[in-house]
Structure formats: structure tokens, C-alpha cells
Amino acid sequence: MKTETYKVTGMTCASCANAVQKSVGRVEGVKSANVNLATEVLTVQYANDMNIDNIKKAVINAGYGIEDKNNNQDVTIGIGGMTCASCANAVEKALNRLVGINKANVNLTTEKASISYDSNVIGIKDLKQAIVDSGYEPIDVEVMEETNHRDKERQTLLKKLIVSIIFTIPLFIIAMGHMVGMPLPWFMDPMYNPLTYALIQLGLTIPVMIAGYRFYTNGYRNLIKGHPNMDSLIAIGTSAAFLYGIYGIIQIIMGYSEYAMNLYFESVGVIITLILLGKYLETLTKGKTSEAIKKLIGLSPKTAIVERDGKEMEIPIEEVEVNDIIQVKPGEKIPVDGVVIEGRTSVDESMLTGESMPVEKIVGSSVVGASINKNGFIKFKTTKVGKDTALSQIIKLVEDAQGTKAPIAKLADIISGYFVPIVIIIAIIAMAIWLLAGEDLSFALTIFTSVLVIACPCALGLATPTAIMVGTGKGAENGILIKSGEALETAHKIDTIVFDKTGTITEGRPQVTEIITAGTFTESEVLRMAASAEVASEHPLAEAIVAEAKNKNLTLRSIDDFMAIPGHGIKVRIDDDEILLGNSKLLNDYNVENTMIKVAEELARQGQTPMFIAINNKIAGIISVADVVKPSSKAAISKLKEMNIDVVMITGDNKKTAEAIATSVGIDHVLAEVLPEDKANKVKELQHNRIVAMVGDGINDAPALAQANIGIAIGNGTDVAIESADIVLMRSNLSDVATAIKLSQKTIKNIKENLFWAFAYNTVGIPIAAGLLYAFGGPQLNPMIAAAAMAFSSVSVLLNALRLKKFKA
């Protein structure tokens, strides 16, 4: 069910509101309608598949006007300058505080904000201004992609890293070399020339700080705005160490040369260098998390050969229009979606569906853009181009999923929002305690800097989005489209799966399953006569018989006379033969002795539909037709049962047929004779104490798909079913249901591992940095070691997420 609000105009009293409410309430498909006279708002709940125009007509027919209350739009904006979870959290809070925002999600890994907003209230300019006010840079997504924003960022980081390494190595050797017996030239030896020694370190430190200037600009700006982030921690810590170094130089000038041994310039240089190294490694691993999207985008060919005005021409893919005639030679990629009008071939659709076997294509078959034409020349008429193609829709689904948050991510968001201010307070308290305990300022400053540097919440912010990106990307590679982070998380909790029968467990189209003959008639004779009789009929059972005859290359005979007998069957004359084809009532009407009743009853018990055929008043045989079970169904259901998932089948078929199908695939629980509109209610009943997934393919499954905790649509189903679902199986293979759940389980496990290590790292690291070990006679943590540990924590979380790329269906 969907819920929408509309502005109703022209109402003046309670009677007006009542009239509108009653008029809309009578519309077929509307579950409830409520009109608020004070706000002039109509709130209506209606079926997913109903036409909204019917609601608007009902209001107009009642004598009033109607307008959409909200003009909801979605936009994705790139964000530059974010470095940690606190940054993403700050932008997200700023956006969600705006009036007219329905929902805003900021993904640190993709560096994008996914925003749903009411364009009547707020504009994109306001959204970008909110990002600027938060201290970050809004970037158009198209510009990000066209300019390879992430590649440029990586190159810039690499240059800064190289500069910082060039200056930090000599800085470190000068400051720390004497501790391991490395001699220094006399002019910079602290024993003879302490001021020169100090000034050289200062000169080497300043270029490194310039290379890391964004830590200072971002860090202090966000500190002033009241939402400090990782950069704030680095900026405060290294600034404190730098200022202490300046203080030390002043003291040396004043004659206190002992300060030369406690300058801390090397800590500033090494901390910035290590953090730049960590950031550079992050950009490398972040790039790998979005490889699935890059692969999908790279699949589409750049040109197409089109027939226009009787001429063949090669044009850019952007210029292809709907109803163009496209030529595709063997080995070429199919440029856009369409329907074959000439030729025959097999097509490799593995890049979209994950299915390795090529699919046969004949006249009338659908072809999908980016699939590969294997061995035949075809022409097809385009049906979808640009953003409407299957590939573009898949890319959008995966991008949208990667931009959403799983519920588990909210935990990290809440913590990171409070984390940085708490760390600053801990650092100040730790420094004060050590000063009160009698330690000198140099020692206390080391503690202060170490706490700030080791506590970076990067790992916390990267833990969830990176795993979701890799998980949804891996799903897309296997033909499983997961629409949101929430769906990915919920799927691992599923304990009950409800399967629709027709088109889901079964093929969805009747096929001839058995031909049983009587007397001297052969199978070919019986099938040929039946197909000749039914060739003009559009009934699904008739189409199945004709299709079977064509498969066996039987030549059909022309009929001389045809008579349909409603509820019984047909009577046909072919040359001198009179053919009866139908149920037992038809044979009784024409006094044909029926010796095959028991055979027919047994076929019916198996869920098949038997049809008798009599030739010249003699029973010739039975042709049995059934909607056959998909080859993958039995194995898929067996796998789900191994995973301790309860499997239920739901269908509008009679109980006997339903139970026969269920038994054949190993399903124990059957809900038969369920009307389409009741499917959602049956799912709701199961949800009282279970997490329920619904798997279906038709329009009548859409409400049930929406009602279930997780809706799973079969990829060859209707657009409405796919729109209502949380997960789409491109291959229409039920084994992918188990794969989707397994992928969810692996991804959530990965997220929990990431969060555990991120929390554990900070829980252990902060007390050590604050001097806990030193208090009990252990070592003091050097800020440089803290910086290295902080950089490693972020990279380790990303590397752990990348392990998901090894997932196999």
C-alpha cells in the first residue's frame, strides 16, 4: 500500500470535507481517505498498482480542486573535504535540519549526499549552501564523474605525501638520530649549536604542515562551528606540539639550551606524514569498493549502427532513439534495449544476470543493452534508451543502495557525533592530571597529543558504508540487485519465505507434460489432431498443445468446421474425421465410451490438467497440460530448508493442484485459493512473530511484496512487482534467494567485525595514550606511534570490507 497527501481547494465547511472523503473512499483500490478541513489536506492510502488519476477525478467530481501537497524530488550531491565520520555526520545533520527536507543520507565512502526534498519549499541552491555552511564543498555528481574527482584527489594526496616524506625523513633523522648513535654535523649538533639544530627542524616542519594544511583549515573551522571532527583532533594535537617547539626555540634564545632535546617538531612531521599515508591508502581501497559500479558503467558500448532513411550509419549511443532499427553483428555488444525483428542468435547476458549460459534470441525476443551478441546477425527495434535501459536502471539501483544506510550504521553515527568532543575533553583532563601529578609540561603535552591523534573516528565511519558498497556491488555481479542498505541488513534475519506459485516456483506458462494414447492411435497422431483443432484458439492450454506440435515439427491439418462448446471443449471436422477435444462432460454429451477416467484423475491429483481427445467417437487419448516447475525450484527450496528457513507457497489455485506442486518441490506449508487482494493480508498474518520475505513476479504480488519485511521480485516479472520489491533477482533463478540471504549474512558479519575493531581500537588505544601503562611502570605512547596506529585502523577496516569481494554464489 502507498500513502500520499494532496491539497484540496474550494472547501468551506465540514460537509465539503465529508463529501471529498466519501467520493475518494468509493474509488476502487483506495483503502482509506481522510480530509483535514483546517489544513485542507487529503491523506489517502491506496493499492500500489492503482492509477492516481482516479483519486484526483473523484475529488474533481465531488466539486473541488486538487493539488499535489508535496513536490518531492531526489538529488545526489557530491561533497568535497570530508575526512571522517564526524564530517559526514555534521553535513547530514545540517541538511536534515532544513525545512522541506524529507530525508538526507551522507555516505563517507562515496562522498555523496542522497537527499529527498520538497521543491515547493526548498531548492538545490539551499541544499548546497547548507553543505558550505557545514564547512564542506558541494560538487555536482556529473562533474565528479567527468573530471574523475576521486582520481584527482588521489593524485593530489600523493603529491602532498611525497612532499611530506621528503621533509619528514631528514627531520626525523636530525631529531631522533642521535638516540641511536647517528652523528650530526657540528653546525647542527644540539651540544654545540642548539639554536641552529632547532631552527633547521622548524624549517623542515613548516613545509610538512603546509602539505597537510587541510587538516588545519577543516579542523579549526569545524571546531569553531561546534562540530569538531578528525581534522580537529589532528590540528589541535600537532598545533600544540608545534607551539611547544616555538616556545622551546624562544627558551633556547634566552639561554636555556636543554630545551633543544624536547622540541616535538619531529612528532608534527611524522604525524602529518603518517595520516596523509593513511588517507592515500584509504583512497586506493575506497576506489576498489566501487569497482562494481565502474564495471557496470563500462559495459555500455559507445556507438550503434542504425538504419535511417534506408542508410546504415554509426552514431553515438546518446543519439539512439526509441523505435530506431539497430544492426548487431556477431561478437558485438548490443547497444540498448529492444525487440528482435530479424535474424537469430544467442546472447551472453552474464554481465547483467550472472547467468553464464548464452540465451537464444529469435524474432520477438527481447534483448538488453550491454549484452554480447555471440554468433548471429540480428536487427532489433529499440524500446528503451538512455536512463530507461535495463543497465542504467541497474546502475541507479546499485548507486541508490550504496547511498543508503543500514540501521546498524545509526549506532556508528550516534557515537561519532559525540566522540570527538569527548576525546578533546579526555585529552585535556589527562594532560591536567599528569601536570597535577608532578610531570613537566613536555610530558603532559605528549599525553595530550597522543590521545587526540590515536582517537581518530575514521575507522568507525568507514565500517558500515564500505561493507555495504562491496556487498551490494557483489550482489549486482551475481544478478542480485539489493535496493538499500536496510534491505541488505534485514535479509540476514529472514526466518520465513513465502513463494508465489505461478511464474515463481513454476514457469508461469502451461506446457504439455504427457500424451497417453488409447487403442491404435500413436502419440504423434493424437498431438497432430489436437494441435490442428486448437491452432486458432488463444486459450493458454491450446497454445501449449500447438507449441508442443511445433517443437516436434508436426505438419498441422486444415480444419473444415469448428464449434466451441463453453465449459466442455471443442468439436472440429478435419476432412472426414470428427474430433472432440475437452473434458469428460464433452465425451458424455456425445456418448463416447471413456475408458481413461482413472488415468485422468491420477493426472489431476498431480496438479496437471488432462484433456480427452476422441476421433470419430472413439477415445484416442489424453493430452495433459501443466504449468511446470522451474528446474531450479526444488534445489533452491532444499537449500533454504538447510538454512533453517520456513518455506510457504501461496497461490490462487485449488488446494489439490497447489499441494501437488508444493510436494514436488519439497514445500510443506501451502496457502491455496488465496485471492490476489488477500495475499498481503496472509503475509501480514505470518509477520506476527516472524521476519517474512515474499518472492513473486506479478502485479497481484506487488502489495504482498511491499507488505513483507523483504520483498524479492523475479527479474522477468512486471515493472510494478520489481518497483515494490527490496531485492530483484535478474536471473529468475530461485537459488539466488538463498544467495541473497547468504550475502546479507556475510555483509552484516563483516560490518560487525569492522565496528568491533573500530570500537576495540579506541577503547584500548585512548587509555594507553592517556598514560595508563606509564602509571604502572610501563612505556609512554609516542604521538608518532599513535598516528601510525590510527592510520592502520582505517586501512584495516577497508581491507576487511574488501574481503567480501571473495564471496561466491
Side-chain angles (χ1 to χ4, degrees), residues 347-370:
V347 173
D348 178 0
E349 297 180 343
S350 60
M351 66 290 295
L352 297 174
T353 65
E355 181 60 65
S356 57
M357 290 295 291
V359 181
E360 286 296 319
K361 302 291 181 181
I362 57 173
V363 173
S365 298
S366 296
V367 289
V368 183

Side-chain angles (χ1 to χ4, degrees), residues 387-460:
K387 291 183 178 179
D388 295 327
T389 63
L391 179 64
S392 297
Q393 293 297 313
I394 289 168
I395 291 169
K396 186 176 186 306
L397 277 175
V398 177
E399 283 181 331
D400 288 349
Q402 293 181 348
T404 62
K405 289 185 177 176
I408 199 170
K410 292 172 186 173
L411 174 67
D413 285 350
I414 292 166
I415 291 170
S416 64
Y418 296 101
F419 187 79
V420 176
I422 289 170
V423 167
I424 293 171
I425 292 167
I426 290 171
I428 293 168
I429 291 171
M431 182 171 72
I433 288 171
W434 284 111
L435 285 171
L436 291 171
E439 295 289 345
D440 61 19
L441 181 61
S442 171
F443 179 91
L445 189 66
T446 301
I447 294 290
F448 177 74
T449 306
S450 296
V451 171
L452 291 177
V453 171
I454 203 167
C456 164
C458 272
L460 203 59

Side-chain angles (χ1 to χ4, degrees), residues 358-381:
V359 181
E360 286 296 319
K361 302 291 181 181
I362 57 173
V363 173
S365 298
S366 296
V367 289
V368 183
S371 54
I372 300 170
N373 181 26
K374 297 291 284 183
N375 52 25
F377 174 82
I378 57 168
K379 289 183 184 180
F380 70 91
K381 182 181 281 191

Side-chain angles (χ1 to χ4, degrees), residues 45-253:
Q45 191 176 25
Y46 60 94
N48 290 332
D49 57 338
M50 78 164 288
N51 190 340
I52 297 172
D53 290 339
N54 294 340
I55 295 170
K56 295 181 178 179
K57 284 176 187 174
V59 175
I60 293 165
N61 291 339
Y64 303 92
I66 182 169
E67 301 170 0
D68 289 344
K69 184 173 183 291
N70 294 324
N71 189 10
N72 291 336
Q73 294 194 24
D74 296 321
V75 68
T76 301
I77 300 175
I79 302 172
M82 294 194 301
T83 55
C84 69
S86 295
C87 305
N89 211 26
V91 178
E92 193 170 288
K93 280 181 178 176
L95 288 168
N96 280 313
R97 277 197 294 263
L98 297 174
V99 177
I101 291 286
N102 301 322
K103 192 177 184 183
N105 278 328
V106 176
N107 190 315
L108 175 64
T109 313
T110 59
E111 298 173 319
K112 292 176 185 176
S114 301
I115 308 164
S116 172
Y117 68 101
D118 183 351
S119 61
N120 289 333
V121 179
I122 196 169
I124 290 179
K125 184 180 177 183
D126 304 306
L127 304 179
K128 290 183 175 180
Q129 189 58 48
I131 294 169
V132 171
D133 292 343
S134 303
Y136 302 93
E137 179 192 1
I139 306 169
D140 289 338
V141 173
E142 291 80 8
V143 173
M144 283 178 83
E145 288 166 359
E146 285 172 12
T147 58
N148 295 315
H149 171 74
R150 185 162 281 168
D151 289 339
K152 285 194 170 183
E153 181 193 19
R154 191 179 298 127
Q155 288 166 9
T156 303
L157 261 174
L158 181 60
K159 288 174 185 174
K160 289 179 178 180
L161 176 61
I162 291 168
V163 167
S164 64
I165 288 171
I166 288 169
F167 286 94
T168 297
I169 289 173
L171 172 63
F172 186 78
I173 291 170
I174 291 167
M176 308 296 287
H178 64 277
M179 291 186 179
V180 291
M182 287 181 67
L184 287 173
W186 69 270
F187 70 89
M188 67 170 70
D189 192 314
M191 298 297 293
Y192 305 106
N193 293 294
L195 184 59
T196 306
Y197 173 76
L199 290 173
I200 288 172
Q201 287 189 50
L202 175 64
L204 291 169
T205 302
I206 289 171
V208 180
M209 293 179 77
I210 292 170
Y213 79 94
R214 283 186 67 176
F215 296 133
Y216 300 98
T217 55
N218 286 349
Y220 284 120
R221 182 174 58 224
N222 282 290
L223 187 65
I224 291 163
K225 288 179 179 289
H227 39 78
N229 61 359
M230 181 208 84
D231 291 341
S232 305
L233 298 180
I234 296 165
I236 295 169
T238 55
S239 295
F242 180 78
L243 290 173
Y244 185 80
I246 298 293
Y247 170 76
I249 290 174
I250 293 169
Q251 292 299 311
I252 293 168
I253 292 170

Side-chain angles (χ1 to χ4, degrees), residues 299-306 308 314-321 324 326 333-337 369-370 380 382 384-386 389 392:
L299 288 175
S300 184
K302 303 293 181 269
T303 60
I305 298 172
V306 182
R308 285 183 183 168
E314 188 170 354
I315 62 172
I317 194 79
E318 296 81 16
E319 294 179 17
V320 176
E321 298 173 1
D324 270 341
I326 308 279
K333 281 186 178 179
I334 292 167
V336 292
D337 299 359
F380 70 91
T382 60
K384 290 179 180 177
V385 297
T389 63
S392 297

